[in-house]
């Protein structure tokens, strides 16, 4: 039972354009959401997070939006750069736990 | 600077062998985690530990065990390796609830 889903396994975007990566979840008790980025042969690195009390969090070119009623979050990258090409995982956690539930990942390719 | 290291980047073992994967963090973190990453399945939690000598099962503990004798070191053990344990294994640590998980570079294990 996949509690965190990333329905698009891959996404291809032109450099300079917006990349939108989507993530859906089923457990309404999740209260903290994160995005990780992973390059080949490296471990995932933390990108950005959002608490369930917010609906938007921004950090430079990266913005995460949370729609609790739809149980949906998205990561926007503007403008996209070739160095953003990686696999992106969304993850969720329950209140007061360290355990993360990861999605299946979306491979983003940014082409010139 | 945060650092999580894993003993091997690549490992080839035979079916039935006992396999040890080691993870060391230098951040004095209490919590440590072992995941495996497989295509189309994302990251799945195998075991985690909140303190020395403490361990808890994750979502897919079957066929694995762990050991945490020192705070900085968390070992994953495959008692009798099988081909379906061929995977990328990722270790992570975090300083406490709600904090970011930091990942090691991963160990790609091939079981023949």
């Amino acid at each position: 039972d996949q509690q965190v889903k990333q329905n698009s396994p891959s996404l291809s975007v032109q450099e300079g354009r917006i990349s939108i990566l989507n993530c859906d979840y089923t457990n309404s008790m999740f209260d903290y959401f994160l995005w990780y980025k992973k390059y080949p042969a490296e471990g995932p690195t933390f990108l950005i997070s959002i608490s369930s009390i917010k609906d938007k969090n921004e950090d430079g070119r990266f913005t995460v939006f949370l729609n609790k009623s739809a149980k949906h979050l998205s990561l926007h990258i503007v403008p996209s750069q070739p160095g953003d090409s990686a696999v992106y995982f969304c993850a969720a956690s329950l209140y007061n736990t360290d355990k993360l539930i990861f999605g299946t990942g979306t491979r983003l390719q940014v082409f010139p | 600077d945060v650092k999580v290291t894993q003993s091997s980047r690549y490992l080839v073992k035979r079916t039935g062998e006992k396999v040890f994967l080691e993870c060391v963090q230098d951040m004095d973190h209490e919590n440590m985690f072992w995941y495996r990453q497989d295509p189309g399945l994302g990251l799945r939690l195998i075991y985690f530990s909140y303190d020395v000598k403490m361990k808890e099962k994750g979502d897919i503990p079957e066929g694995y065990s762990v050991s945490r004798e020192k705070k900085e070191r968390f070992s994953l053990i495959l008692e009798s390796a099988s081909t379906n344990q061929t995977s990328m294994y990722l270790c992570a640590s975090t300083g406490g609830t709600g904090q970011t998980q930091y990942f090691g570079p991963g160990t790609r294990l091939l079981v023949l």
Side-chain angles (χ1 to χ4, degrees), chain A residues 38-43 85-87 107, chain B residues 9 88:
Chain A
K38 186 180 185 300
Y39 292 117
E42 292 184 17
S85 298
V87 177
R107 182 177 302 278
Chain B
R9 296 300 301 269
M88 166 72 89

Side-chain angles (χ1 to χ4, degrees), chain B residues 79-95:
Chain B
E79 294 289 342
S80 177
S82 63
T83 54
N84 63 14
Q85 292 179 310
T86 291
S87 186
M88 166 72 89
Y89 289 88
L90 292 157
C91 174
S93 73
T94 182

